[in-house]
Amino acid sequence: MSLASHYSYWVTIFLMIAGLYIVIARGNLVKKLIGLGIFQTSVYLLYIAPGKLIGGTAPIVAEGFRTYSNPLPHVLILTAIVVGVATLALGLAIVVRIREAYGTIEEDEILAQDRREEEQV
Amino acid sequence: MTPELAILGAVAIPAAGAVGVAACGRVPNLRETVTLVAAALLFLAVATLVSPVLAGARPSVRLFEIIPGLPIAFEVEPLGMLFALVASSLWIASSVYSIGYMRGNNEAHQTRFYVCFALSLAATMGIAFAGNLITLFLFYEALTLVTYPLVTHHGDDEARRGGRLYLGLLLGTSIVLLLPAVIATWSIAGTLDFTPGGILAGKVSEGGAALLLALYMFGIGKAALMPVHRWLPAAMVAPTPVSALLHAVAVVKAGAFAVVKVIVYVFGTTAFGPETFGWLPWVAGFTILAASVVALRADNLKRRLAYSTVSQLSYIVLAAALLAPLSIVGAALHIATHAFGKITLFFAAGAIYTASHKTEVSQLDGIGRRMPWTMGAFTIGALSIIGIPPAAGFFSKWFMFVGTVESGQYLALAVLALSTLLNAAYFLPIVHAAFFRGQDRRDDHGEAPWPAVVALVATAAATLALPFFADVPLELAGQVGGAPK
Amino acid sequence: MTLEHLPALQVVLPLISAPLIVLVRRRWFAWALAVLVSWISLAIAVTLFLEVGRTGVITYAIGNWPPPWGIEYRVDALNSFVLVLVSFTAAVVAPYARISIAAELPREQAYLLFAMFCLCLAGLLGITITGDMFNIFVFLEIASLSTYVMIALGQRRKALVAAYQYLIMGTIGATFYVIGIGLLYLMTGTLNIADLAGRLRDVGEIRPLLAAFAFITVGIGLKLALFPLHQWLPNAYAFAPSVVTAFLSATATKVSVYVLIRFYFTIFGTSILFAALPTDEVLLVLSIAGIVTASLVAVFQQDLKRMFAYSSVAQIGYITLGLSLANEAGLTGSIVHLLNHGVTKGAIFLLIGGIALRCGAVTFDRLRGIGRRMPLTAFGLVIGGLSLVGIPGTAGFITKWYLVLAAIERGYWWLVAVIVASSLIALGYVWRFVEAAYLSPPDERSVKQGEAPASMLGFAWVLVIACVYFGLDTSFSVGAAREAAVLLIGGAR
């Protein structure tokens, strides 16, 4: 067990932080969604990587094998992926509608338009 | 009518009256009749409770539990009986007066006025008959809320500002100070029932009790201890019948009543000593004198009366704080005598305004000739507040004086004496100017509308007559103080 | 036979009504089915509540797979109370929605809102009733996704931005939650809540648990608008359709609070919580910060919906405050406030929906003189406002009582001062409404409008009456809350 053998966790952390950074730092609405997707992907990795047990084989009952890898995380992540897809689809749909309503998908331009509208009222 | 039914009726009758008034809003004479009938019924219901209470019974009603272990409960004891009698009898008088005043001044929103008035009486009865602190608190807050539309009756900017100060101070003190005090009492004592001898004895240290007492005294903002008294002059933006209600019938009396009730039935008069109570006579004494001085310098008549009330309320607080049996009798009696005296004064002030549109003391030269009945009643009211026999105020002050001597509190005696002089100083000049100064030739008004005059003559007469029919109030007050008569 | 399947039906019935609505598409059918399914859900929730009161915890294995391998629905004193709250709110809001939605949404879209409403209801009920951590995540996302859609259906284009912002923040929150439960699963090997509580005691390495605890707190904190993670709430509440705001304000954040309570007290237990991490202090500070700043910001708002949205953030602060005190009184106060605030805010937002219908907008300048034109609406709002302040006779008072009692029992007198002082700030913004409604001359543009339609007013007043009722007769609310509190504190030892 060394730092290097935990490389999957390093990748996880990197993706997590990168994803969050993109969400916070980028003003383009679609890029935020991409960042969100990256963030969610890191979580998938967080679940699946520990699922592979050392010396474990594929989770299908067979003669002569005693240690099986854990299939449950895969199941959970399939669910999470579906949720992620639904979220992404919904997010993109809202972005399309925002584009129709505001003419832009840049966050600061949208906020500027809202502020101008408020001042006029 | 069984006592239990009378207790519930006391709260239900004014509430039902409010509904009736709202329903009859379109027919003014019918509407006024509903008010008068409700007031009369209320007085009858309250009166039926007098003899059982005098005989020593304490009729009570327990309703549902608002919080597990804390029911809404009513219990009639002598102090509450006295307060209820005063409030219900004065409702009749103020209703008659209001008819004269509101119609004479062509006030708008009269239906709303009478509805809120009736509801205030329902809340007042709830306070008077409260059997535990939570019931008292519930109706106390209800009273504040229900009198807000009355205070802001005129709806203009001035009314709004006055209303803000009124509500802000009263709700502020009750939420920030009184509520924690009640909850702390519940946590310490395990009960909130009013019990002779108090519920805190032995459960809290003297220092803790002093702090708790402070929370109560300043939390009961309606008792107008300085510095939480500012709502009272601010509420003078209301029409005069409302001021009369506030000062004599309901609001300040509820405050003073709550103060005495907390001192006698939550702390107990013997459980705690000078470390707990020692500071209170100082605060009360200061309020008495400071308010009298402000009254002296006020030219607006209602403002002068308002500060006079602040001062008189602290008489009650001072007397109760001395914990001597006779001074407690004096405090209880003063709730009644001050009510009659003050309401007469306010009725007179409102009558003066209705008839002549004069509001300042300096304008009142010679008015006694044009409005003899009004100013006569005013004089009687003033005599009562000063404490000159045979006006009713003399008797309550007598007990307070004797109480200070009995407990050796000579400083309190001095304060009472000094403030009596100040009372004379700010009332007698008005009387003198009204009757003995020459009047303004340009005036050509007469007396106020007749219902108003009837009402103020009635209360003035009651102020004079009270000492001769004093046995009931005296007996009740005596039972509170536990002193031999 | 149906009685034993009630826990499953609680979730399944709203769940299948959503696609049914989408298939049929007619607006009246959508509304009727939404009402029907809400009322049936209420009936089921009440039945479950009574059943739990009689027999204790009810467990139900989905698909007959025995826990801890299968997903288990587990109803105890705490979540049966929340089930009743959520379904009661839905049962009142759904009938109200007919006219409100007809006015605020284009005809073709109305059925979509009702479909999302049913999905959201299914999600919220699912979160509450399930006994499996990952299942909570699934239902959490079902509820959240449908919420995003409902908010996006608001009239103004700002609703889209609000929905998007909520989507981003909500998904981050949900993902944090998933990270947290992932760590828990890795340490213990189980997803079942009851099983987890037992296994956690035997775990050697405490650090992953602390990390999991932190992730779950932040994740759920985002969902329940814990300060400073509350940024999405004011916009979402202000721009969503009135019905949606009313429904969400009474349910969504409350269910998230339930999840937090479940994790804190049933799973983690006070030993890890308050010994290893300064949870109570952090939660206390954040709660106070939320209460004070949100109340202050509310005072300065021009839009009534936004004002009460900030008020909601403050009220949620009260709930988490009770949690941080962690004694029986505090927990009772928190749990009872789930109902009390739900009823109060639901009433307020339903009444505001009526104002939106009649006056076109809910800004203060349009509201002037509304006390005359819409007397019942205005008076109902006054009662709701008094409940937010905590005047006796209203539900909010009961909560304040228990919170102050909890603070006194802990000896935190300064906290007592904060709680009561914040009530005064609430009085400030409530009284702004009172003065605008009753003491201001009417606005010329809306002089001719009358009272809200009877059906809307009627259902809004059901909640107003509930607000007063639960301030006077607390046998149900405090009784259930106290039982839940005792269960949680006792089980956590």
Side-chain angles (χ1 to χ4, degrees):
Chain A
M1 282 231 299
S2 66
L3 241 45
S5 67
H6 285 354
Y7 69 91
S8 60
Y9 295 105
W10 290 111
V11 174
T12 304
I13 295 171
F14 172 73
L15 286 176
M16 220 182 264
I17 309 247
L20 270 179
Y21 174 77
I22 297 172
V23 172
I24 298 172
R26 288 281 166 256
N28 184 300
L29 297 187
V30 174
K31 287 188 184 173
K32 281 181 191 284
L33 286 172
I34 295 174
L36 201 62
I38 296 176
F39 177 52
Q40 289 176 309
T41 309
S42 73
V43 178
Y44 307 158
L45 195 53
L46 176 70
Y47 269 66
I48 294 182
K52 169 78 173 74
L53 299 180
I54 299 173
T57 179
I60 299 172
V61 177
E63 287 273 330
F65 290 101
R66 298 214 12 251
T67 317
Y68 297 97
S69 291
N70 193 346
L72 187 59
H74 295 252
V75 171
L76 301 179
I77 293 309
L78 278 173
T79 313
I81 292 176
V82 170
V83 171
V85 166
T87 310
L88 185 61
L90 180 56
L92 288 173
I94 294 181
V95 171
V96 168
R97 290 291 314 282
I98 291 181
R99 174 78 161 83
E100 284 170 17
Y102 284 90
T104 170
I105 56 171
E106 292 294 331
E107 192 183 32
D108 35 12
E109 284 173 34
I110 295 172
L111 284 176
Q113 282 194 33
D114 279 340
R115 222 170 295 133
R116 249 176 285 139
E117 190 182 297
E118 244 166 75
E119 276 155 29
Q120 279 169 2
V121 170
Chain B
M1 171 173 277
T2 69
E4 288 72 31
L5 213 55
I7 297 175
L8 291 175
V11 180
I13 292 173
V19 172
V21 168
C24 302
R26 307 226 174 243
V27 189
N29 288 332
L30 187 58
R31 176 187 69 199
E32 262 68 299
T33 315
V34 172
T35 302
L36 290 171
V37 166
L41 283 178
L42 176 65
F43 184 71
L44 287 175
V46 168
T48 63
L49 288 166
V50 175
S51 22
V53 172
L54 280 179
R58 301 284 175 258
S60 63
V61 177
R62 271 173 82 100
L63 297 177
F64 52 87
E65 288 193 348
I66 188 173
I67 284 174
L70 279 178
I72 300 289
F74 297 107
E75 189 179 350
V76 186
E77 45 75 48
L79 186 64
M81 188 74 250
L82 188 59
F83 181 32
L85 273 176
V86 170
S88 52
S89 53
L90 287 179
W91 188 22
I92 303 176
S94 26
S95 301
V96 174
Y97 181 82
S98 301
I99 297 172
Y101 182 93
M102 300 299 272
R103 293 187 182 195
N105 282 300
N106 243 323
E107 292 270 0
H109 303 303
Q110 288 194 28
T111 307
R112 182 178 81 194
F113 172 86
Y114 287 109
V115 168
C116 291
F117 218 97
L119 286 175
S120 329
L121 261 298
T124 309
M125 289 299 129
I127 295 175
F129 290 150
N132 56 24
L133 272 170
I134 187 89
T135 313
L136 184 78
F137 186 71
L138 175 71
F139 284 103
Y140 184 91
E141 297 292 71
L143 185 60
T144 309
L145 290 171
V146 137
T147 46
Y148 176 79
L150 290 173
V151 171
T152 56
H153 184 89
H154 290 134
D156 53 15
D157 280 340
E158 210 192 324
R160 200 177 341 181
R161 262 173 304 169
R164 269 194 209 162
L165 195 57
Y166 179 79
L167 197 79
L169 257 180
L170 284 182
L171 279 186
T173 50
S174 62
I175 292 178
V176 175
L177 300 171
L178 184 56
L179 181 62
V182 171
I183 301 181
T185 310
W186 165 244
S187 179
I188 295 171
T191 174
L192 288 181
D193 291 340
F194 289 124
T195 317
I199 52 177
L200 289 170
K203 299 214 174 110
V204 61
S205 65
E206 293 268 353
L211 205 57
L212 201 58
L213 185 67
L215 284 178
Y216 273 113
M217 292 300 113
F218 292 109
I220 302 179
K222 295 196 172 103
L225 264 184
M226 286 189 172
V228 296
H229 67 287
R230 281 285 294 133
W231 62 270
L232 195 49
M236 292 303 101
V237 300
T240 308
V242 176
S243 307
L245 170 75
L246 258 50
H247 286 248
V249 183
V251 178
V252 305
K253 290 293 167 292
F257 166 79
V259 163
V260 180
K261 193 116 183 188
V262 162
I263 291 180
V264 175
Y265 292 105
V266 174
F267 284 87
T269 48
T270 50
F272 297 95
E275 287 123 54
T276 308
F277 281 94
W279 60 273
L280 189 53
W282 290 92
V283 174
F286 174 76
T287 307
I288 294 175
L289 293 176
S292 299
V293 169
V294 177
L296 206 51
R297 300 174 57 229
D299 196 27
N300 182 289
L301 183 56
K302 280 174 79 171
R303 193 177 157 80
R304 185 174 288 202
L305 294 179
Y307 275 97
S308 166
T309 302
V310 173
S311 174
Q312 295 288 313
L313 285 175
S314 284
Y315 271 63
I316 300 177
V317 177
L318 175 62
L322 294 177
L323 300 176
L326 279 183
S327 68
I328 302 227
V329 172
L333 265 183
H334 205 61
I335 293 181
T337 61
H338 175 252
F340 279 93
K342 221 16 147 338
I343 205 174
T344 311
L345 289 171
F346 267 103
F347 282 172
I352 294 173
Y353 176 73
T354 309
S356 68
H357 287 280
K358 291 190 179 163
T359 56
E360 311 300 302
V361 169
S362 46
Q363 297 169 325
L364 296 181
D365 290 354
I367 204 169
R369 309 239 184 79
R370 294 204 156 267
M371 307 178 71
W373 290 101
T374 304
M375 288 317 293
F378 187 95
T379 310
I380 296 175
L383 290 180
S384 176
I385 301 292
I386 299 171
I388 297 177
F394 170 70
F395 288 92
S396 48
K397 275 202 171 173
W398 172 256
F399 278 100
M400 289 196 222
F401 272 110
V402 176
T404 60
V405 171
E406 183 186 75
S407 55
Q409 302 271 9
Y410 292 105
L411 196 53
L413 180 65
V415 166
L416 287 181
L418 182 56
S419 100
T420 306
L421 284 176
L422 288 172
N423 291 347
Y426 61 69
F427 275 132
L428 290 181
I430 304 180
V431 176
H432 178 263
F435 285 108
F436 299 113
R437 289 252 191 93
Q439 59 178 305
D440 197 334
R441 296 286 154 210
R442 289 168 293 174
D443 292 333
D444 61 347
H445 60 86
E447 270 287 7
W450 67 267
V453 176
V454 164
L456 54 87
V457 165
T459 54
T463 312
L464 277 181
L466 203 59
F468 298 101
F469 296 94
D471 38 345
V472 169
L474 207 48
E475 174 71 38
L476 287 171
Q479 284 194 18
V480 178
K485 294 147 335 288
Chain C
M1 94 89 214
T2 33
L3 241 54
E4 64 182 88
H5 291 296
L6 276 183
L9 283 175
Q10 175 88 94
V11 181
V12 165
L13 285 175
L15 195 59
I16 57 175
S17 45
L20 260 178
I21 290 176
V22 175
L23 282 175
V24 174
R25 279 198 175 213
R26 299 242 187 283
R27 187 170 68 176
W28 65 266
F29 175 80
W31 170 73
L33 187 56
V35 171
L36 182 65
V37 96
S38 313
W39 286 358
I40 295 179
S41 301
L42 179 61
I44 297 177
V46 170
T47 314
L48 285 174
F49 179 80
L50 295 171
E51 187 68 27
V52 168
R54 270 192 320 118
T55 60
V57 176
I58 300 177
T59 76
Y60 178 87
I62 293 282
N64 255 329
W65 294 103
W69 299 281
I71 291 179
E72 173 193 26
Y73 281 3
R74 200 182 161 84
V75 190
D76 63 8
L78 176 62
N79 58 1
S80 57
F81 181 63
V82 181
L83 282 175
V84 172
L85 164 67
V86 173
S87 48
F88 176 62
T89 309
V92 173
V93 167
Y96 170 97
R98 187 173 65 92
I99 301 182
S100 184
I101 293 302
E104 291 187 17
L105 255 66
R107 195 187 177 83
E108 323 76 60
Q109 283 184 345
Y111 76 97
L112 290 170
L113 186 125
F114 285 110
M116 290 299 116
F117 177 81
C118 292
L119 259 187
C120 189
L121 182 61
L124 292 171
L125 292 172
I127 298 171
T128 315
I129 204 171
T130 184
D132 179 293
M133 321 192 268
F134 197 80
N135 210 211
I136 290 182
F137 165 67
V138 173
F139 280 116
L140 192 63
E141 285 304 85
I142 293 178
S144 301
L145 285 173
S146 44
T147 305
Y148 307 148
V149 176
M150 286 201 287
I151 294 174
L153 285 171
Q155 281 174 305
R156 305 173 54 186
R157 62 183 189 177
K158 284 194 196 169
L160 295 168
V161 181
Y164 180 85
Q165 187 190 17
Y166 186 17
L167 183 146
I168 296 288
M169 288 187 82
T171 310
I172 295 179
T175 315
F176 268 56
Y177 173 76
V178 171
I179 296 174
I181 62 175
L183 289 171
L184 282 178
Y185 172 67
L186 289 177
M187 296 307 295
T188 58
T190 179
L191 290 170
N192 183 293
I193 289 178
D195 194 25
L196 190 61
R199 293 213 194 174
L200 267 182
R201 281 179 247 283
D202 309 320
V203 168
E205 239 339 296
I206 204 178
R207 227 188 284 160
L209 295 180
L210 297 180
F213 180 78
F215 272 109
I216 292 174
T217 304
V218 174
I220 299 297
L222 260 167
K223 291 284 187 186
L224 66 88
L226 177 67
F227 184 91
L229 303 167
H230 65 284
Q231 305 295 340
W232 55 269
L233 195 144
N235 281 336
Y237 279 23
F239 300 120
S242 311
V243 169
V244 174
T245 311
F247 183 61
L248 288 180
S249 66
T251 56
T253 44
K254 312 294 176 298
V255 172
S256 306
V257 171
Y258 156 77
V259 175
L260 196 69
I261 296 178
R262 185 59 84 196
F263 269 88
Y264 275 15
F265 291 96
T266 307
I267 296 180
F268 284 103
T270 43
S271 53
I272 301 181
L273 271 191
F274 300 125
L277 283 176
T279 318
D280 51 346
E281 280 121 33
V282 170
L283 209 55
L284 188 63
V285 169
L286 290 179
S287 306
I288 296 175
I291 294 172
V292 174
T293 53
S295 299
L296 282 174
V297 173
V299 176
F300 295 103
Q301 294 303 310
Q302 280 308 314
D303 179 297
L304 205 61
K305 269 191 182 177
R306 255 186 120 74
M307 184 175 94
F308 282 115
Y310 277 105
S311 164
S312 285
V313 176
Q315 296 286 319
I316 289 164
Y318 285 121
I319 298 178
T320 48
L321 183 69
L323 286 187
S324 72
L325 292 173
N327 49 17
E328 191 189 307
L331 223 59
T332 307
S334 290
I335 298 174
V336 86
H337 206 45
L338 296 179
L339 175 66
N340 289 344
H341 181 240
V343 171
T344 306
K345 262 310 160 36
I348 289 177
F349 280 115
L350 285 183
L351 289 167
I352 292 181
I355 297 179
L357 183 70
R358 286 293 184 229
C359 304
V362 289
T363 47
F364 269 98
D365 52 347
R366 290 284 182 97
L367 284 179
R368 280 201 298 265
I370 211 173
R372 281 292 202 79
R373 304 197 304 277
M374 307 179 71
L376 286 173
T377 302
F379 188 58
L381 274 167
V382 171
I383 295 182
L386 290 179
S387 178
L388 290 175
V389 174
I391 298 288
T394 59
F397 172 70
I398 307 292
T399 311
K400 290 277 163 67
W401 178 276
Y402 277 102
L403 287 179
V404 172
L405 191 61
I408 291 179
E409 281 178 10
R410 281 291 216 104
Y412 291 162
W413 279 93
W414 57 273
L415 186 59
V416 174
V418 169
I419 296 174
V420 291
S422 61
S423 306
L424 285 188
I425 307 179
L427 186 64
Y429 59 74
V430 169
W431 226 252
R432 274 189 69 201
F433 170 76
V434 170
E435 284 190 0
Y438 291 101
L439 293 175
S440 308
D443 177 71
E444 314 80 47
R445 281 170 291 185
S446 357
V447 161
K448 287 186 294 262
Q449 301 290 352
E451 185 58 87
S455 67
M456 287 171 74
L457 200 58
F459 283 103
W461 264 83
V462 168
L463 287 182
V464 173
I465 292 176
C467 187
V468 174
Y469 177 77
F470 288 121
L472 293 174
D473 180 5
T474 57
S475 48
F476 165 69
S477 53
V478 173
R482 207 195 245 172
E483 215 183 297
V486 167
L487 174 77
L488 290 168
I489 292 192
R493 295 270 166 269

